[in-house]
Amino acid sequence: MNPIRFSANAARLTKIITVLGRNGFLEFLEQIEVPQSWISRLVPARTERLNVWQRIRVTAEELGPVFVKFAQIVSTRADVLPEPLIEELKRLRDQVKPAPWEQMRPVLERELKGPVEEVFAEFNQTPVAAGSIAQVYCARLRSGEAVAIKAQRPGLRKEIKADLEILHWFAVKMQQHLPELRAYDLPSVVHEAGDSMLHELDFTIEARNTAYFNTTNPEPTEVFSPKVFEHLSTKRVLVLEWIDGITPGAAPLPPGLGAKLAQAGGRSVFHQIMLGGFFHADPHTGNLFVTADGRLCIIDWGMAGQLTRNMRYFLADLFAGIAEQNPEKVVQVVLANATTKRRVDRSRLEKEISIMLRKYPRFDAESGAFGHIMLELLYIFGSNGIRLARDYTLLAKAVLSFEEAGRTLDPAFDIRSCAEPFLKKLGLERWHPQTVASLFYWDWRVAIRNAREIPGTVVRLLRNLEEGEASINFVHRGLDGLRESFEHGVNRLVMAIIIAATLLSSSLIISRASEDTSSLLYWLGEGGFVLSMVLGFWLLYEIIRHGRRPPK
C-alpha cells in the first residue's frame, strides 16, 4: 500500500486491526509486524471460547458486508483453505441492514434513465431482501408482468476497492513474515478474489449467465431460472421475472415431490458440469425455490464456472480414481493435468490421498462423502504445490452445496445416482471414434505447424546472439523489506538535507538583515531557524522511536 493510499485508509485499517485483536489474533498481528502503537489501542479480547475457524467467521461478520462477500468468494479456494474453515465460511450469509429508499432511488433512476413511476406500474419501496452487494424489490411492469429488481447499493465499488487494498497489504505482510504460508501465494489469492468481487458488480454478466442457462437447459419443465428483461437491465440494476415459491426446507412438500425435485436438480447440476461445461457455482438452499407448479428455480447466476472439454475429461478420470479408492490413479491423473511451481513429492502426495480416502471407506449416500472428498482432495493438492484452475474449486463447492440442498429436499438423496449417467455419457463422447479422430487430426496439425516454425526460430535466435541483441533478465525476490528500509533511509536523508539548507539560508538572511531587526527579511530568517529546530527535533525523535529493526 503506497503512503498516499495508506493515509486515505488509515481509519478503516485501524478498525480492522482492532477487530482482529478483539477476536484473538493478537499474536498474528505481532508476527506480521503491525506497529505496537496500534496494537496497544486494541480493546480486550473476547471471552467466548471459539476455535480459530469460528473466530475468522466472526471477524468477517464484524467487519461488514465487503468482508462477508470476500470470505464467501475465498471459500471457493478449497486448494488453499482447509475444509473446517470452508465449512465455517459457508455459514456466512448476506444478512445486512438495507439501505434507505432515499439512497437507492437515485441509483435506480440513473440506471433506468427515468423516474421509477414512469418505468413501472407498481413499485414496492420496501426491499424483500438485502445483501452485501444489492437489494431486491418487487414491482410490476406496465405490461402487467411481476418482476424482481436487483439494485446495487450506492458507493459500493469505492468501498470494495478500499477494503481490497487493505486486504492485499495484509496478504503481502503475511507472505513476508510467515514462511509457512508462502507456498499459498496469498497476495495472488486476494487479487483473484478481489477480481471476482468486482466481476460480480457487473449485473450484465449475471443476466447473460441466466439467459444462457435458460437457452441450454434440457429440462425446463422441472428446473429453470427466471426470465431476464434485458432491455431494462444494466450493470447496476437487474430486472428478472418474479418467482413465487419457497426455499427448500421452509415448509413440508407433498409426498414424493422432494425426492423428484432433488433428482431433477442433481441431473441439472451434472448436465451443466459434465456435458455443458457451464455451471452455477453456488446452488445452496438460499438460491433455490420450489414453485407452486412443482418446479425447481435456480437464481443468482453471478458466480458461474466454466470447464473446457479437456477439463471435463480430467474430472471423469479423477472421479473414477476416487470411486475405485485408487490413490495411485488419482496422483497420476492430477499430475498429468495440473501445474506446479515446485517439485512434488509423489510419495507424500499418494500417502495423504490414501489417508483421506480411508476416511470414507463406504462412499455411499449415508456417509455424505462426495462433496467433502472433493474439497479435501483440492486442499491436499494445494498444500503439495499443485494448482488447479479455480473452476475446479467452484465445481467442488457447487456439488457440495447441492448435495446438502438435495438432502434438505429428500433425506435419502444420493448425488452419485445423478452423476453416474452423465459420467457414462461423457465417457461415450470422449472415446467416440469421431472425437478421437478429431483430436488426433488437430494435434497433428499443431505439431506440423510447430515443426515448420522451428528452423525460423533457430535462425532468429542465432542472429540475435551474433548481433549481441540477446539478453538475460533477472528477477529479485524477497527484497521488499530491504527496499522499505532503503526508502526510509533516503526519506530521512532528504529531510536532513532540507533542514540543513533551511538552517543555512536562514543564517544568510539574518546576517544580511541584522541591522534592522524589525524588517520582514529578518523575521523570515528567524522563522527559518524555528522551523529548522522543530523539524530537527522531529527527525531525531523518529530515529530514536523506530531505531533499527533487527535483521531477519
Side-chain angles (χ1 to χ4, degrees):
M1 190 182 301
N2 61 61
I4 297 176
R5 294 301 306 165
F6 177 83
S7 60
N9 297 325
R12 179 62 171 163
L13 181 58
T14 302
K15 179 179 179 181
I16 292 171
I17 291 172
T18 301
V19 173
L20 285 170
R22 184 166 64 237
N23 287 306
F25 294 104
L26 190 61
E27 183 179 351
F28 162 73
L29 294 173
E30 292 173 345
Q31 283 181 309
I32 65 173
E33 297 189 355
V34 171
Q36 194 65 36
S37 59
W38 293 357
I39 297 177
S40 62
R41 301 171 188 168
L42 299 175
V43 298
R46 291 179 178 274
T47 57
E48 299 100 312
R49 293 189 175 183
L50 304 175
N51 63 39
V52 64
W53 316 124
Q54 292 170 328
R55 286 188 279 123
I56 291 174
R57 173 181 57 80
V58 169
T59 300
E61 289 173 340
E62 287 190 28
L63 289 175
V66 174
F67 275 77
V68 169
K69 192 65 182 180
F70 179 83
Q72 290 172 338
I73 293 174
V74 170
S75 70
T76 64
R77 291 301 306 266
D79 57 331
V80 175
L81 304 180
E83 186 189 1
L85 176 57
I86 289 177
E87 288 295 313
E88 198 63 38
L89 295 182
K90 282 169 55 183
R91 297 176 58 190
L92 291 169
R93 288 290 179 264
D94 294 343
Q95 297 174 347
V96 299
K97 182 179 179 181
W101 173 244
E102 292 72 23
Q103 294 180 15
M104 298 300 299
R105 184 181 186 115
V107 175
L108 282 162
E109 295 187 342
R110 183 167 55 250
E111 296 298 313
L112 295 171
K113 296 181 172 56
V116 171
E117 294 78 9
E118 292 183 6
V119 179
F120 302 101
E122 300 175 17
F123 192 99
N124 187 346
Q125 297 179 4
T126 303
V128 295
S132 57
I133 287 181
Q135 298 180 182
V136 180
Y137 296 89
C138 177
R140 187 173 300 278
L141 299 178
R142 295 201 168 274
S143 58
E145 295 170 287
V147 293
I149 302 165
K150 185 177 180 180
Q152 195 172 121
R153 299 168 73 96
L156 194 60
R157 183 174 291 272
K158 182 178 179 181
E159 181 183 349
I160 287 176
K161 286 185 174 180
D163 279 357
L164 287 176
E165 192 170 300
I166 293 172
L167 281 165
H168 188 266
W169 181 79
F170 271 107
V172 170
K173 287 289 185 182
M174 293 164 69
Q175 190 83 352
Q176 290 174 355
H177 302 294
L178 303 176
E180 64 273 18
L181 298 179
R182 286 176 188 161
Y184 299 115
D185 193 8
L186 294 181
S188 296
V189 173
V190 172
H191 179 75
E192 181 183 291
D195 285 345
S196 295
M197 286 187 72
L198 296 174
H199 184 84
E200 286 196 49
L201 295 183
D202 186 353
F203 289 169
T204 60
I205 296 172
E206 181 178 345
R208 288 196 300 268
N209 291 343
T210 306
Y212 181 78
F213 171 73
N214 282 332
T215 302
T216 57
N217 178 23
E219 297 182 345
T221 58
E222 294 184 324
V223 181
F224 73 106
S225 286
K227 172 187 172 183
V228 180
F229 293 86
E230 296 185 14
H231 66 288
L232 292 173
S233 299
T234 68
K235 286 187 175 183
R236 301 182 66 190
V237 171
L238 179 61
V239 182
L240 300 166
E241 170 192 6
W242 179 265
I243 302 297
D244 280 318
I246 59 172
T247 57
L253 298 175
L257 179 59
K260 172 177 173 284
L261 291 175
Q263 287 293 322
R267 288 196 302 271
S268 177
V269 167
F270 280 99
H271 179 274
Q272 295 168 40
I273 293 171
M274 294 298 179
L275 301 185
F278 170 80
F279 60 93
H280 193 296
D282 197 18
H284 59 75
T285 53
N287 287 335
L288 301 174
F289 284 103
V290 178
T291 61
D293 59 356
R295 294 191 296 166
L296 195 65
C297 178
I298 307 176
I299 65 169
D300 195 359
W301 282 84
M303 189 184 298
Q306 185 75 45
L307 300 176
T308 65
R309 180 167 57 183
N310 286 333
M311 292 170 76
R312 290 184 282 125
Y313 294 165
F314 161 71
L315 277 179
D317 292 337
L318 186 64
F319 288 162
I322 294 172
E324 296 167 11
Q325 296 276 304
N326 188 339
E328 296 90 347
K329 182 173 182 177
V330 172
V331 171
Q332 290 174 353
V333 169
V334 74
L335 290 181
N337 292 273
T339 58
T340 60
K341 292 186 177 181
R342 67 176 191 260
R343 179 181 173 275
V344 176
D345 187 339
R346 292 178 63 110
S347 298
R348 174 190 167 189
L349 178 61
E350 190 174 310
K351 179 180 178 181
E352 291 182 5
I353 293 174
S354 298
I355 293 171
M356 187 275 297
L357 289 176
R358 284 200 297 271
K359 290 168 59 178
Y360 306 97
R362 294 182 300 137
F363 192 47
D364 55 14
E366 287 75 19
S367 68
F370 199 81
H372 290 283
I373 283 180
M374 293 179 67
L375 288 177
E376 289 194 41
L377 266 181
L378 288 171
Y379 180 68
I380 290 173
F381 295 155
S383 61
N384 282 274
I386 299 173
R387 293 296 176 86
L388 295 173
R390 177 173 176 264
D391 296 277
Y392 289 119
T393 58
L394 291 177
L395 181 149
K397 188 171 185 287
V399 172
L400 182 59
S401 294
F402 191 79
E403 194 170 19
E404 294 173 349
R407 289 204 181 92
T408 303
L409 291 164
D410 175 21
F413 176 64
D414 182 2
I415 200 168
R416 293 177 309 153
S417 63
C418 302
E420 288 169 359
F422 292 97
L423 286 170
K424 290 178 181 178
K425 289 181 181 179
L426 185 62
L428 292 174
E429 173 195 312
R430 181 180 187 179
W431 301 114
H432 192 279
Q434 184 178 353
T435 304
V436 174
S438 175
L439 291 173
F440 183 77
Y441 169 74
W442 287 109
D443 286 345
W444 267 103
R445 283 197 61 172
V446 172
I448 292 171
R449 185 187 65 189
N450 291 339
R452 291 176 61 185
E453 292 178 354
I454 289 175
T457 302
V458 173
V459 169
R460 285 194 300 272
L461 177 61
L462 293 175
R463 184 174 295 143
N464 288 338
L465 289 172
E466 182 181 6
E467 296 177 359
E469 295 181 359
S471 62
I472 299 176
N473 296 324
F474 291 95
V475 178
H476 299 281
R477 300 185 185 277
L479 299 180
D480 292 336
L482 180 61
R483 184 188 64 187
E484 290 181 6
S485 299
F486 179 75
E487 289 177 353
H488 283 302
V490 170
N491 290 340
R492 290 174 180 175
L493 179 60
V494 170
M495 181 61 70
I497 293 172
I498 292 173
I499 292 171
T502 304
L503 188 63
L504 180 60
S505 60
S506 298
S507 300
L508 292 174
I509 291 173
I510 290 176
S511 66
R512 293 285 300 273
S514 58
E515 297 179 357
D516 185 6
T517 58
S518 62
S519 66
L520 177 62
L521 194 62
Y522 178 83
W523 286 108
L524 183 62
E526 288 287 339
F529 264 121
V530 174
L531 178 62
S532 300
M533 182 177 65
V534 172
L535 291 177
F537 277 118
W538 174 81
L539 181 59
L540 182 62
Y541 169 75
E542 283 292 307
I543 293 172
I544 294 173
R545 184 166 73 97
H546 292 288
R548 295 182 59 189
R549 291 183 178 178
K552 296 278 190 292

